[in-house]
Amino acid sequence: EAVDRHAAGPRAGHVALRFVAAHGTVRRELTYADLRAETNRFANALVTLGVAPGTRVFGLLGRRCRTRAGCSPPRWPTRTP
């Protein structure tokens, strides 16, 4: 809910997540708007697989930027263009 609230407001362009490499350089930044888009994309993939609200899902994720965005729980339903 916090991501959606920030993504819909004036903080949409502010950095929500920053991925820093082991040697200290910034590899990628996701704004609240980016994070909302990524989590909705992940939620839509789960819905396509038949996952419904209340269904337990287990994921073994690596340490990559794309997998971190999928960790934020989306609101249901998330069908967006």
Side-chain angles (χ1 to χ4, degrees):
E1 293 177 22
V3 171
D4 289 331
R5 185 175 61 249
H6 289 309
R11 296 186 58 87
H14 290 219
V15 175
L17 290 175
R18 180 174 289 131
F19 301 95
V20 180
H23 56 282
T25 59
V26 175
R27 296 193 51 162
R28 184 173 178 200
E29 292 180 336
L30 287 174
T31 65
Y32 285 101
D34 296 334
L35 185 57
R36 178 176 59 181
E38 290 291 330
T39 55
N40 282 344
R41 186 170 167 241
F42 182 70
N44 287 332
L46 291 176
V47 169
T48 300
L49 294 171
V51 176
T55 304
R56 293 181 183 178
V57 176
F58 174 81
L60 181 59
L61 307 173
R63 297 180 58 139
R64 296 183 172 248
C65 300
R66 183 156 307 277
T67 59
R68 297 293 185 218
C71 293
S72 299
R75 291 186 320 164
W76 298 88
T78 57
R79 295 275 182 196
T80 57

